[in-house]
Amino acid sequence: CSERRPAQELLASQTPPRKTLSRQRQESARSHPRFRSARNCCGMGGEAAPAAADALRALLEEEDEDLTGFAEDAAVQEALSCGRDLREHAEEVESSLRAVERESIADYIKESESLAGLHTQIRECDGVLDTMESMLRGFQSDLASISAQIKYLQDESLSMNVRLRNRKAAETQLSSFITQIVVPPELISQICEAEVDASYLGYVQQLDAKVSFAKLESTAMTSACADIAPELEKLRLKSVQRIRDFLLERVGRLKRRMTNTQILQNSVLLKYKGLYAFLQSHAPDVCAEVREAYTTTMSSVYLAKVRDYLTGLLALKVEPPSKSDLLAAEEWVGYTSSLFSSKPSHARGDGAFKLGERRAVLDAAGEPPLVLPAAQQEGKPLHYEAIFRSACTLLLDVASSEHSFLTSFFGDADSFDHVFGKSIFFAMENLEQHLVTSWDAVGCLLLVHVNTAQRDAMAARPVPLLANFFARVQVLVWSRFKAIMEAHVQSVSAFMPSGKAPETAPHYVARRYAELV
């Protein structure tokens, strides 16, 4: 290959003439299976039908394309560039292929035993793989079964959880029901035998809860309630009897002399107000009996205390002016009272119209009431307005305390009127007796101011009964003051000067009027 030429030129030089090549190609195409098939389909004998011609033409075109492709092949171009004959080159290539084939066959024969062993191993592997496949399919089936079982177990678990929650809820309700309806033997002995004290109040509260629970409509229809109801009723009656006796005994202590009722109320009765609440719920008739006993007892206790207090202070009362102390009444000077004297023994003259130290009662309106033993020991005379102030202040304090106790112990103050009615009536009756025999205009005015101050003090306290009392006092005092002033006017109108020689000192009527005004 000393001189290289283009592949097309070499191919053209080694290619037969066109007519010869065309003829050869046609003969080769006619022998092609596709051409024969087309000709057979058209039923042609020796001449080609149009379909056969088309098939022939297509085959020729394919050969042209193959030749063009071969010309572009690197091996063909190399062979052509060396100037070699393609036929010879094709024979060499074919012989080389046959040699390679023979060598391949020899190698195959040489390795036949190994290949046979490999084939055997492959078949064994196929068997093992088939076995593994069967096992895996079995595993898959087992897993599907296990999955179904797991799902079943999950459903069962959910169902068991629901049943467990329901049973727990039922257990809670049943346990609560049993706890509330069953009466322990200890509670029975404590209700029947234990001493009535602070601990007994706890036992009564337990019994109250059980009795109230047994009265519920949902509980009363159960057989357990039907079995336990008689025992609960016996315990209720027993506890009611013991509570009644205890409260009546404590109320009876209030009647004892020298007893501080407020201490007994706050330290004893209020501590056991739960017992009274039990009576309210389960023994209304006994509750009313205890309340009536307390109301009656305290009414008599307060009446006695108010009577003793007023009686003790009235023993120190300054004798009030009488009708002989009117403005124009005759002045008695230099005479002493005797059996044959026409001057009243209690006439006070100008002293009936002087205010003096009596106004101090207005400054003491907010002070505590007088202590009776201390006042009696001191022996200082007291005007009625000072006695009235002290008594009203005491009534306000006691009434406020009693109102608070009634509300706390009984739950209301409906008994307030019954407790304090007699005491208020006695105080009002005492005031009326004083006003009937009194001609003290200054004292009446002081009573009006004291009463107003007491009403203002009462406004901050929940004692409605005393509001009527102070209103009634206001009416009585003003009425008496009006009557006294009218008597003064009538005395002046009826005054007849005496025939004595005129005096240089102011007339006693003028002095009295000046003191009064």
Side-chain angles (χ1 to χ4, degrees):
C1 298
S2 59
E3 183 179 357
R4 296 180 179 275
R5 292 180 296 173
Q8 286 79 2
E9 294 180 3
L10 293 175
L11 183 63
S13 63
Q14 297 180 13
T15 303
R18 187 174 186 84
K19 291 182 179 182
T20 303
L21 181 60
S22 177
R23 191 181 300 111
Q24 293 177 352
R25 294 174 60 189
Q26 291 178 3
E27 291 175 0
S28 177
R30 287 190 179 94
S31 63
H32 198 277
R34 289 173 59 186
F35 178 77
R36 291 177 181 177
S37 176
R39 186 177 60 183
N40 292 334
C41 291
C42 297
M44 296 174 54
E47 298 293 333
D54 293 338
L56 180 61
R57 190 178 301 109
L59 291 173
L60 292 176
E61 290 177 357
E62 291 180 0
E63 288 185 357
D64 291 338
E65 293 178 357
D66 292 340
L67 289 175
T68 302
F70 293 153
E72 295 177 354
D73 185 78
V76 175
Q77 289 180 2
E78 183 178 359
L80 292 176
S81 64
C82 294
R84 298 179 61 183
D85 189 357
L86 293 178
R87 294 183 183 86
E88 294 177 358
H89 184 68
E91 291 176 358
E92 291 178 359
V93 170
E94 185 176 358
S95 61
S96 299
L97 291 174
R98 287 175 181 172
V100 171
E101 182 179 2
R102 286 192 296 271
E103 292 176 357
S104 299
I105 293 172
D107 292 338
Y108 182 78
I109 294 172
K110 182 180 179 181
E111 301 292 336
S112 60
E113 294 181 0
S114 299
L115 291 175
L118 178 62
H119 178 68
T120 302
Q121 293 179 0
I122 289 174
R123 295 190 65 176
E124 291 177 354
C125 289
D126 287 341
V128 172
L129 291 175
D130 290 340
T131 303
M132 293 183 65
E133 182 180 5
S134 300
M135 292 176 61
L136 292 175
R137 290 185 182 276
F139 290 158
Q140 184 178 10
S141 177
D142 294 340
L143 289 174
S145 176
I146 292 173
S147 176
Q149 293 179 3
I150 290 174
K151 187 176 184 304
Y152 171 76
L153 291 176
Q154 287 178 343
D155 295 339
E156 284 294 316
S157 177
L158 292 175
S159 177
M160 291 176 66
N161 286 334
V162 172
R163 291 197 296 271
L164 178 61
R165 286 196 299 269
N166 293 338
R167 289 179 181 179
K168 285 184 176 180
E171 179 185 4
T172 301
Q173 295 182 2
L174 184 60
S175 175
S176 175
F177 177 83
I178 293 174
T179 303
Q180 296 182 67
I181 198 66
V182 171
V183 182
E186 297 82 2
L187 181 61
I188 297 175
S189 61
Q190 290 162 352
I191 290 293
C192 298
E193 301 174 1
E195 183 181 356
V196 180
D197 52 14
S199 301
Y200 194 82
L201 179 60
Y203 308 146
V204 169
Q205 290 174 347
Q206 295 181 34
L207 179 62
D208 175 52
K210 295 182 181 298
V211 173
S212 299
F213 181 73
K215 290 181 179 180
L216 296 177
E217 183 178 355
S218 58
T219 308
M221 63 180 62
T222 61
S223 58
C225 181
D227 295 337
I228 203 67
E231 300 299 327
L232 286 175
E233 181 63 18
K234 293 178 182 178
L235 284 178
R236 183 191 70 84
L237 295 175
K238 183 65 176 179
S239 60
V240 166
Q241 181 63 35
R242 299 196 66 190
I243 292 172
R244 172 187 174 277
D245 296 341
F246 174 79
L247 292 179
L248 290 179
E249 190 272 334
R250 291 299 186 274
V251 170
R253 291 184 182 182
L254 296 171
K255 297 180 181 180
R256 298 176 183 175
R257 294 185 62 83
M258 307 302 293
T259 298
N260 192 321
T261 57
Q262 293 185 3
I263 293 179
L264 189 60
Q265 287 174 339
N266 296 327
S267 62
V268 178
L269 292 180
L270 275 183
K271 187 169 64 174
Y272 296 104
K273 65 180 180 180
L275 299 179
Y276 182 81
F278 180 81
L279 295 181
Q280 280 184 313
S281 302
H282 304 290
D285 52 341
V286 178
C287 173
E289 180 185 358
V290 172
R291 185 163 188 159
E292 181 64 26
Y294 176 84
T295 301
T296 304
T297 299
M298 293 308 298
S299 177
S300 60
V301 168
Y302 284 132
L303 176 60
K305 289 182 179 297
V306 171
R307 182 188 294 115
D308 294 342
Y309 188 78
L310 282 175
T311 302
L313 291 182
L314 288 174
L316 303 175
K317 183 182 72 168
V318 175
E319 192 67 29
S322 63
K323 193 172 183 180
S324 301
D325 294 312
L326 296 177
L327 278 175
E330 184 179 359
E331 184 179 31
W332 302 88
V333 180
Y335 291 90
T336 58
S337 177
S338 65
L339 180 63
F340 302 100
S341 174
S342 61
K343 174 192 173 184
S345 60
H346 52 272
R348 300 176 58 194
D350 295 349
F353 305 99
K354 293 181 179 180
L355 180 60
E357 296 180 355
R358 298 178 68 179
R359 68 175 308 276
V361 71
L362 302 178
D363 299 330
E367 295 182 0
L370 297 173
V371 180
L372 181 58
Q376 289 175 339
Q377 184 177 2
E378 184 180 2
K380 180 181 178 180
L382 299 173
H383 290 279
Y384 187 81
E385 59 270 15
I387 297 174
F388 178 80
R389 182 207 69 81
S390 185
C392 289
T393 304
L394 180 64
L395 279 176
L396 275 176
D397 293 341
V398 175
S400 298
S401 176
E402 183 65 23
H403 188 277
S404 176
F405 172 79
L406 291 175
T407 305
S408 301
F409 188 81
F410 295 105
D412 56 65
D414 296 342
S415 302
F416 185 83
D417 294 349
H418 301 287
V419 171
F420 266 93
K422 292 182 179 180
S423 301
I424 298 299
F425 180 80
F426 178 81
M428 184 67 68
E429 186 179 33
N430 180 269
L431 174 66
E432 291 177 352
Q433 291 176 358
H434 167 76
L435 293 177
V436 167
T437 60
S438 174
W439 296 85
D440 187 7
V442 174
C444 289
L445 288 176
L446 291 175
L447 282 175
V448 169
H449 285 285
V450 169
N451 187 66
T452 302
Q454 295 297 324
R455 291 178 66 178
D456 295 340
M458 180 208 64
R461 305 186 186 189
V463 282
L465 178 63
L466 297 188
N468 297 330
F469 168 73
F470 289 122
R472 178 62 178 168
V473 168
Q474 195 82 352
V475 173
L476 290 176
V477 174
W478 273 116
S479 299
R480 186 55 187 171
F481 177 76
K482 181 180 179 181
I484 293 173
M485 294 305 296
E486 290 177 351
H488 282 304
V489 172
Q490 291 177 3
S491 68
V492 172
S493 300
F495 175 72
M496 295 295 294
S498 63
K500 297 180 181 180
E503 300 178 359
T504 57
H507 197 272
Y508 68 90
V509 176
R511 291 197 309 269
R512 292 177 180 178
Y513 180 78
E515 291 286 350
L516 179 62
V517 177

